[in-house]
Amino acid sequence: TLHELNKADLSIVTIEEPIELPMEGVTQLEVNRSIDLKPAGLLRSALRQDPDVVAISEVRESETVKVSLDAAATGHRVLATLPANNALQALQRLQALNGDAATLAASLTGIFAQRLVAKICDHCKEPYAPTAQVLGRHFQDYELAIPQFFRGLGCPDCRGTGYRGQIALHE
């Protein structure tokens, strides 16, 4: 997302723990708890520069959530990650950390959840038809349209696993 937003006319600041990928044209600040450089304090400092976009690598404390929501309410685009298993759990976590549903409603534009899963190997991938029992366990009304299914047989490219690489599932 930051690569897409990174244009000359936008000021972008990140707060990371640690800086994962240096980005040209982006001001990157690194959290260092040993010298009291915490996310909320760095965020307050970053907001004094009046950035268009602020990205926070991981929100774990209520103070960081509060400052982030205040920034979003005053017109800054705030992107943040937080530990949660899905989008609903992320909303619940934000509510638990913030406690003010009205502020969340006013500041939150959306929640995006991502999970990485193993990708079927392209070199040994083959189509197959799962049994009706398997389809019924995982899909409602599967009789309406049965999608194409694939599986990896295992080959030297995937070291016999049937999987090679990862893809992202988004919610």
Side-chain angles (χ1 to χ4, degrees):
T1 303
L2 288 177
H3 284 291
E4 288 295 316
L5 294 173
N6 192 6
K7 308 288 185 243
D9 61 335
L10 283 181
S11 170
I12 301 174
V13 175
T14 68
I15 297 166
E16 303 177 65
E17 188 175 3
I19 293 174
E20 294 181 25
L21 179 67
M23 293 181 65
E24 198 165 314
V26 174
T27 301
Q28 295 176 276
L29 306 175
E30 186 166 6
V31 172
N32 187 338
R33 294 174 191 277
S34 66
I35 58 170
D36 210 30
L37 285 177
K38 296 178 183 173
L42 285 172
L43 180 54
R44 280 189 194 93
S45 296
L47 291 172
R48 288 188 200 104
Q49 299 174 26
D50 194 30
D52 300 301
V53 180
V54 178
I56 307 161
S57 68
E58 191 166 321
V59 175
R60 291 188 222 137
E61 302 108 3
S62 59
E63 185 181 8
T64 307
V65 171
K66 183 184 178 335
V67 177
S68 299
L69 291 173
D70 289 345
T74 57
H76 299 87
R77 183 179 296 175
V78 180
L79 308 172
T81 65
L82 62 148
N85 290 322
N86 56 49
L88 179 58
Q89 191 180 64
L91 179 59
Q92 292 167 337
R93 184 155 174 79
L94 282 171
Q95 283 180 305
L97 287 169
N98 181 52
D100 181 16
T103 304
L104 266 179
S107 303
L108 190 62
T109 302
I111 296 176
F112 177 86
Q114 173 179 291
R115 183 167 304 267
L116 296 176
V117 296
K119 181 180 175 196
I120 297 171
C121 177
D122 288 327
H123 294 96
C124 63
K125 170 168 88 170
E126 72 165 11
Y128 81 103
T131 66
Q133 181 183 12
V134 169
L135 286 170
R137 187 171 53 225
H138 297 289
F139 300 96
Q140 293 179 359
D141 300 326
Y142 71 87
E143 297 93 357
L144 298 177
I146 299 176
Q148 180 69 56
F149 289 87
F150 295 91
R151 65 179 163 205
L153 294 175
C155 68
D157 281 350
C158 63
R159 298 183 184 153
T161 65
Y163 300 99
R164 182 178 171 123
Q166 295 179 322
I167 58 171
L169 301 180
H170 302 105
E171 174 186 15

